Amino acid sequence: MIFNQITSQSDLWAYLFYALIVLFLAVVFLLAQREKLRRERLELTKEREVNEKLRQADRLKDEFLAKVAYELRNPLNGIIGLGEALFDRLKDDASSDTRKDLVTLIRAGRRLSTLVNDIHDYARLRDQSVKLQLKPVDLHSLTEIVIDLNHPYAKAKKIELVNEIPPDFPHSIGDEDRLLQIFHNLVGNALKFTKEGKVRIRGEAREDGLYLGVCDTGPGIPDKERKHLFQAFEDKEGAMARSFDETGLGLDLAQELVRLHGGEMWVESKEGEGTTFFFRLPMSKEKAELPAQKELLALVEIAPKPVEPGAIKILVVDDDPIHQQVLHNHLSREGYHIISEFNGEDAWQRFEANERFDMVLLDLTLPGLSGFELCRRIRERYLASQLPVIMITSNAQVHDVVAGFNFGANDYLTKPFSKQEFLARIRTHLNLVHINAAYGRFVPHEFLRSLGKESIMEVQLGDQVEKEVTVLFADIRAYTSLAETMKPEDNFNFLNGYLGRLGPIIKRHHGIVNQYYGDGIMALFQRKPSDAIAAAIDIHQKLLAYNQERIAKGRKPIRTGVGLHTGPLMLGIIGDEERMDAAVVSDTVNTAARMEGLNKVYGANIIASEPTLAALEDPDGAHFRFLAMVKVKGKKDTLTVYEFFAGDDPEEADLKKQTLGHYERGIDAYFKREFARASDYFKMVLTLNPKDRIAKHYLLNCTKYMIQGVSPSWNGVEEMTKK
């Protein structure tokens, strides 16, 4: 019994102990939960405070936008009103230039006023304070006003604006001014991003309302970008940032105004085919009064001023016709010739057509090809010292400025800018261009580019680079005897007239005139040997026409020999610190000069070495034939040389093509020492083409060797004892 009592007491203490542990854990749990609830309440309070601050900041932002818009309206109305009054006052006696400037001023004011109204309306839409003045609206008449308002912009971009809403189209119930705002925003957006084609406004009446659409033939909108179209102030990236509705405000505002009318807006687009913005409006059973017609100032047509010879030519690329007009006014009064383009693609086509400019003024945010990309492409063709590019934009963010310079811009201007500053920068860059152009007459820009330099100011003694090039030498035959018949002044005039014909030909075929020496010229072709061959042929074809002029004037025709060789060459700067010169150093130059000299020996016009022929992409397409294996003076190695005859007189070139088979069989027999058989083939050639001097040369050799014989070591190589 005592044992049972002890056991019962032990159990009681054990239960009591367990109960205390459970109670302790419960207290700990309750305290933890209480602390958790306290923290959650604290976090919730903080979130509420943050949300309230965000709502307050949002309200302040909307109030700020509304106040700024309100404050801007008065000066804008004053600008527009005074501009219209001045236009009316000077309508009869002002020059057409003055009227055009006033029209541009008024349109710029109205455009800014529209943007201010959009900002103001956006703020009012946020606080739901926009009240619609509903009444029946004639949509056909309304859209006619929209087309009239946007006609100058469409005309400048050569885009057709079409109103497909018929006069008998059912009327809508809505706020006339707000509907005008919707159409204006959509049409303006369509025009901005349409390069060519048309923008159409169409409508369809259905049982549930009127379905309207603004259709364009622009580039279309990618699927992944459409969700951003109606997000105001959306921070878009990449192409989106440079394309559709850059602020995101116009489209968002149009959508909200449509919703206020009880309708909806959506977009359908296919890349490469265009975009259509659709929206639905309620139909009115009543007829509307004609909308109040806005007074539109027609743009005064002014005949383009004649361009004076030698006028500086500036390409202006900007999608804003008003800004184009401002730049045109500033520059044309200074005597500059202005070429305007509204997008990057059209501007680039002018460069593709090899149109030359003295300067490019470039907006960054262009539809399609951006200003950055256009600048990059320009720099692939022209150094910054050759063609200055000035970026002009309303975006002054540092990363855009840096990017502009990285893409090759010379300077950067932020809108709005001072006319005096603008013209001063234009003059400064043009002066630098003229200085560099003067240097370029002595050191070609292409030579600088080969050295990796942008300007002659960067060149230092010892700069050099090794390249694989084709060297062209051209020289007038018997120039000494020709020069003896002329006075010194006539001699210089003759040389300048002759070389003035050759230089542009070489440049047109991507060559560099490295040196003029008396009656000769040395040129370098770094791109491909076929450029040098084409240049040599072009030179002789132009000389054929030049000789016709000389013969008509009673002067003797001239002959020019051209030699070409391909190989490694060092381009660089030699001299001393006080006197430097651009030079080329290589045996390739000497070999090319020897090729030119061989024309005198064989009576050919164009001779090229085997390395040049081997480097041609399509040798079968070139008209050439084997000429000789020679060992020129000062050279150890034997050279195989070829005649290119496409630049010969057309009749002679045709005869060489006809006799090519006989000629090649004669050459084959000649090197096999079968001189009698070779002689027969060369006689066949001369029967058809008695003027073939090379065939005569080999026929004489065959006759000599048949009489005298040849040594066992004879291999057909001809040694030249003269340079």
Side-chain angles (χ1 to χ4, degrees):
M1 185 172 179
I2 294 175
F3 176 77
N4 290 338
Q5 185 176 1
I6 293 173
T7 302
S8 298
Q9 289 178 351
S10 299
D11 290 342
L12 181 60
W13 282 108
Y15 289 133
L16 182 60
F17 178 73
Y18 292 144
L20 288 173
I21 292 175
V22 172
L23 180 61
F24 175 76
L25 293 175
V27 171
V28 170
F29 176 76
L30 290 173
L31 290 174
Q33 288 296 106
R34 182 178 179 182
E35 179 63 19
K36 181 179 178 182
L37 288 173
R38 188 186 68 81
R39 289 179 180 176
E40 288 178 352
R41 289 194 191 98
L42 183 60
E43 290 177 2
L44 184 59
T45 301
K46 289 181 179 179
E47 287 180 4
R48 287 174 178 170
E49 290 175 355
V50 170
N51 289 337
E52 181 58 32
K53 288 180 180 179
L54 289 174
R55 281 192 291 269
Q56 184 177 3
D58 199 37
R59 284 194 299 271
L60 289 173
K61 181 258 295 180
D62 292 340
E63 290 174 7
F64 173 76
L65 289 175
K67 288 179 180 179
V68 168
Y70 177 79
E71 293 297 330
L72 286 174
R73 280 180 171 178
N74 285 336
L76 276 174
N77 288 334
I79 292 171
I80 297 170
L82 289 173
E84 290 173 339
L86 188 59
F87 180 85
D88 291 336
R89 189 183 310 160
L90 302 177
K91 186 178 295 184
D92 296 329
D93 57 358
S95 68
S96 56
D97 280 343
T98 303
R99 294 200 305 273
K100 187 174 181 180
D101 289 345
L102 283 172
V103 168
T104 303
L105 175 68
I106 295 167
R107 284 210 176 103
R110 286 179 173 175
R111 178 177 172 183
L112 185 55
S113 179
T114 300
L115 180 58
V116 168
N117 288 336
D118 282 352
I119 294 173
H120 184 261
D121 290 341
Y122 175 78
R124 293 180 63 197
L125 283 169
R126 291 294 301 272
D127 62 16
Q128 300 179 351
S129 62
V130 173
K131 303 298 181 184
L132 299 180
Q133 304 297 321
L134 299 178
K135 64 178 182 178
V137 178
D138 182 351
L139 293 178
H140 170 76
S141 298
L142 190 77
T143 49
E144 283 295 310
I145 294 176
V146 173
I147 287 179
D148 286 341
L149 285 169
N150 288 278
H151 174 72
Y153 190 16
K155 183 179 179 181
K157 295 190 70 175
K158 298 179 180 179
I159 297 172
E160 185 181 0
L161 263 179
V162 182
N163 186 5
E164 296 182 355
I165 297 179
D168 59 350
F169 191 73
H171 294 191
S172 175
I173 184 74
D175 187 314
E176 182 181 313
D177 290 334
R178 300 303 181 187
L179 294 181
L180 185 68
Q181 193 174 5
I182 293 169
F183 278 108
H184 187 70
N185 285 357
L186 294 179
V187 171
N189 189 73
L191 286 173
K192 183 175 180 64
F193 303 108
T194 299
K195 179 181 177 182
E196 58 184 9
K198 61 178 65 176
V199 172
R200 298 177 296 124
I201 304 176
R202 54 190 252 196
E204 180 184 352
R206 300 180 187 176
E207 291 183 1
D208 59 338
L210 303 177
Y211 286 75
L212 292 308
V214 176
C215 316
D216 65 54
T217 55
I221 305 170
D223 292 340
K224 63 180 181 180
E225 307 293 359
R226 293 180 197 173
K227 62 182 180 180
H228 300 292
L229 286 175
F230 300 108
Q231 296 179 11
F233 305 109
E234 175 72 16
D235 184 17
K236 307 174 181 66
E237 299 179 355
M240 190 71 176
R242 303 295 178 193
S243 298
F244 319 104
D245 190 35
E246 288 152 347
T247 63
L249 184 58
L251 294 179
D252 180 69
L253 183 61
Q255 185 186 52
E256 290 301 321
L257 290 175
V258 168
R259 287 175 178 169
L260 275 180
H261 282 82
E264 57 182 335
M265 179 179 288
W266 67 98
V267 62
E268 293 181 5
S269 181
K270 189 172 183 180
E271 288 189 69
E273 296 186 9
T275 302
T276 301
F277 284 91
F278 290 102
F279 60 98
R280 180 176 55 82
L281 294 175
M283 189 185 303
S284 173
K285 296 180 181 180
E286 301 177 10
K287 291 291 183 180
E289 299 177 3
L290 288 177
Q293 295 293 329
K294 317 290 183 191
E295 283 194 12
L296 300 177
L297 295 171
L299 185 64
V300 181
E301 296 292 344
I302 299 177
K305 296 179 180 179
V307 180
E308 297 181 6
I312 292 172
K313 196 173 178 182
I314 299 178
L315 175 64
V316 179
V317 190
D318 196 314
D319 62 341
D320 187 338
I322 292 175
H323 192 240
Q324 284 266 13
Q325 184 62 47
V326 171
L327 294 177
H328 186 276
N329 289 349
H330 289 343
L331 296 170
S332 60
R333 289 184 174 88
E334 298 294 317
Y336 301 127
H337 176 39
I338 313 304
I339 302 295
S340 297
E341 289 295 349
F342 290 89
N343 61 75
E345 288 291 351
D346 288 346
W348 179 243
Q349 289 306 312
R350 289 185 177 272
F351 287 98
E352 288 284 276
N354 294 318
E355 194 167 347
R356 305 282 297 186
F357 301 99
D358 296 286
M359 177 177 285
V360 179
L361 302 180
L362 184 59
D363 186 22
L364 289 185
T365 54
L366 297 170
L369 187 68
S370 72
F372 289 132
E373 177 61 19
L374 178 57
C375 187
R376 185 191 66 78
R377 292 188 185 184
I378 291 173
R379 283 294 163 256
E380 289 179 352
R381 294 197 178 193
Y382 299 98
L383 295 171
S385 56
Q386 285 179 281
L387 179 61
V389 175
I390 299 180
M391 296 284 194
I392 300 179
T393 183
S394 56
N395 190 351
Q397 296 184 35
V398 174
H399 62 84
D400 275 342
V401 176
V402 173
F405 285 123
N406 288 339
F407 277 100
N410 296 68
D411 205 347
Y412 200 102
L413 275 173
T414 303
K415 306 173 191 174
F417 48 78
S418 155
K419 175 184 175 181
Q420 289 74 18
E421 178 190 3
F422 170 68
L423 292 176
R425 294 198 187 201
I426 295 292
R427 294 189 195 101
T428 299
H429 286 290
L430 288 174
N431 286 338
L432 289 173
V433 168
H434 294 155
I435 292 170
N436 280 290
Y439 282 124
R441 294 188 179 99
F442 299 94
V443 181
H445 294 296
E446 294 83 0
F447 197 99
L448 294 177
R449 191 186 292 274
S450 298
L451 293 175
K453 307 297 182 183
E454 290 283 329
S455 166
I456 190 70
M457 306 301 293
E458 300 176 18
V459 171
Q460 296 182 1
L461 186 66
D463 286 340
Q464 50 78 30
V465 65
E466 183 176 8
K467 287 182 174 288
E468 184 83 7
V469 301
T470 299
V471 181
L472 178 150
F473 268 89
D475 192 58
I476 299 177
R477 300 277 77 87
Y479 171 70
T480 303
S481 59
L482 180 66
E484 290 173 351
T485 65
M486 294 186 287
K487 298 177 182 179
E489 182 181 355
D490 295 334
N491 212 329
F492 269 90
N493 290 336
F494 164 74
L495 285 176
N496 287 330
Y498 165 74
L499 297 173
R501 286 171 167 82
L502 267 60
I505 293 173
I506 289 168
K507 191 167 185 178
R508 185 163 61 248
H509 292 282
H510 312 286
I512 305 172
V513 177
N514 183 71
Q515 185 179 3
Y516 292 109
Y517 55 97
D519 62 313
I521 186 171
M522 183 181 81
L524 310 176
F525 294 83
Q526 303 180 63
R527 207 173 68 126
K528 51 186 179 181
S530 58
D531 291 337
I533 296 292
I537 294 170
D538 200 358
I539 286 171
H540 277 91
Q541 290 175 343
K542 293 294 186 295
L543 282 178
L544 288 173
Y546 179 50
N547 280 331
Q548 293 298 320
E549 296 176 15
R550 291 182 61 82
I551 293 171
K553 294 177 181 178
R555 300 170 183 170
K556 292 182 179 180
I558 60 174
R559 290 193 63 193
T560 297
V562 176
L564 303 119
H565 180 60
T566 302
L569 181 143
M570 295 290 294
L571 298 89
I573 305 300
I574 62 173
D576 58 46
E577 292 295 341
E578 299 298 325
R579 174 69 172 88
M580 303 180 193
D581 196 7
V584 292
V585 180
S586 173
D587 187 57
T588 301
V589 176
N590 297 327
T591 303
R594 300 293 184 272
M595 294 297 99
E596 187 279 319
L598 291 176
N599 285 287
K600 304 173 187 176
V601 177
Y602 293 101
N605 291 321
I606 303 173
I607 295 178
S609 65
E610 188 169 40
T612 299
L613 178 66
L616 293 179
E617 298 172 350
D618 181 24
D620 295 334
H623 299 306
F624 70 94
R625 62 183 183 176
F626 172 86
L627 183 58
M629 293 174 62
V630 298
K631 195 172 184 180
V632 297
K633 187 175 181 179
K635 299 290 181 184
K636 295 181 180 180
D637 297 330
T638 299
L639 291 170
T640 302
V641 296
Y642 298 83
E643 178 199 22
F644 286 79
F645 53 82
D648 290 3
D649 178 84
E651 184 179 348
E652 291 185 27
D654 188 57
L655 289 172
K656 287 181 181 180
K657 283 191 284 185
Q658 291 181 35
T659 59
L660 187 58
H662 293 319
Y663 177 85
E664 289 178 341
R665 285 188 283 273
I667 292 293
D668 182 64
Y670 178 83
F671 279 92
K672 289 180 178 178
R673 305 188 185 192
E674 299 173 2
F675 300 116
R677 190 164 67 90
S679 179
D680 291 338
Y681 283 121
F682 291 127
K683 288 177 182 178
M684 293 179 188
V685 172
L686 291 169
T687 300
L688 293 173
N689 185 14
K691 296 182 180 179
D692 193 329
R693 294 179 60 184
I694 299 173
K696 286 181 182 179
H697 172 83
Y698 277 109
L699 180 60
L700 290 173
N701 281 357
C702 288
T703 303
K704 181 176 69 173
Y705 294 148
M706 283 190 292
I707 296 172
Q708 299 178 356
V710 294
S711 66
S713 61
W714 183 88
N715 57 7
V717 175
E718 301 185 38
E719 293 195 20
M720 303 294 154
T721 57
K722 296 182 180 180
K723 290 187 178 181

